[in-house]
Amino acid sequence: MDKYIAKQIVLAQLASDGGKRQDDVLSRVSSLLPIGKVYYKKGYDVKDHCIVKAIKAIQRNPNTGFKYYVKVDRTLYSGAHVFIVYFNFEIGGESYQISFHTFSNMWRFVSKKCVTRWKKKHSSKESAIKLAYYLAGDKAL
């Protein structure tokens, strides 16, 4: 599994949580990924940047262990589009998914073959924590 992509996805989750002032993921992974505190503080301003970096890395090498899907969730009254970005991956034979809502222009990444959800055993936050531990080298977690 590509560590660069894993890191970008975890940082995006921390930034997203920072924008909402929710520190439950940060409190669990800050010792594993100290730079996460910076992304948490910057919040939504850096979340989409991390998402795009992860998507582009997956596009460059589709054998990274990650899949992504982007779909339009809804159009607001103002005409702005809300997108959902899904990242799917496996650790230890178990499937995980982390999803993000974004207002950034993601049209170039929208897929007509969008596989979005299955019966999720883990929330996006739980999946991000698992990915952070995997990134830190604790594959047995």
Side-chain angles (χ1 to χ4, degrees):
M1 185 179 309
D2 189 290
K3 288 189 174 194
Y4 173 81
I5 296 168
K7 183 176 180 181
Q8 293 307 313
I9 294 169
V10 172
L11 292 175
Q13 181 67 52
L14 290 170
S16 179
D17 289 352
K20 295 177 267 197
R21 302 288 180 241
Q22 298 173 348
D23 67 354
D24 45 334
V25 174
L26 179 67
S27 67
R28 300 267 310 272
V29 303
S30 60
S31 64
L32 305 171
L33 196 61
I35 195 168
K37 292 176 185 175
V38 173
Y39 283 77
Y40 178 84
K41 287 179 183 174
K42 290 184 177 183
Y44 292 131
D45 292 338
V46 295
K47 176 189 80 168
D48 292 350
H49 182 67
C50 293
I51 291 169
V52 169
K53 286 169 74 172
I55 289 173
K56 286 183 176 181
I58 295 167
Q59 288 177 329
R60 282 191 302 275
N61 181 4
N63 299 320
T64 61
F66 291 92
K67 301 281 186 232
Y68 77 90
Y69 304 96
V70 179
K71 73 174 196 168
V72 179
D73 183 39
R74 63 188 176 275
T75 303
L76 303 177
Y77 291 115
S78 66
H81 299 287
V82 180
F83 296 88
I84 302 179
V85 180
Y86 298 91
F87 290 101
N88 299 330
F89 57 95
E90 288 186 6
I91 297 176
E94 193 163 348
S95 296
Y96 294 88
Q97 182 180 78
I98 299 174
S99 59
F100 300 96
H101 280 90
T102 179
F103 292 93
S104 290
N105 184 347
M106 295 282 176
W107 282 112
R108 66 192 181 276
F109 303 122
V110 171
S111 172
K112 291 184 168 90
K113 297 178 183 175
C114 186
V115 177
T116 55
R117 296 182 76 91
W118 57 81
K119 291 182 181 176
K120 287 176 69 169
K121 292 182 181 179
H122 311 283
S123 69
S124 285
K125 289 181 181 221
E126 292 167 333
S127 297
I129 292 167
K130 180 74 173 186
L131 190 56
Y133 274 88
Y134 183 87
L135 183 60
D138 188 355
K139 295 172 180 62
L141 178 71

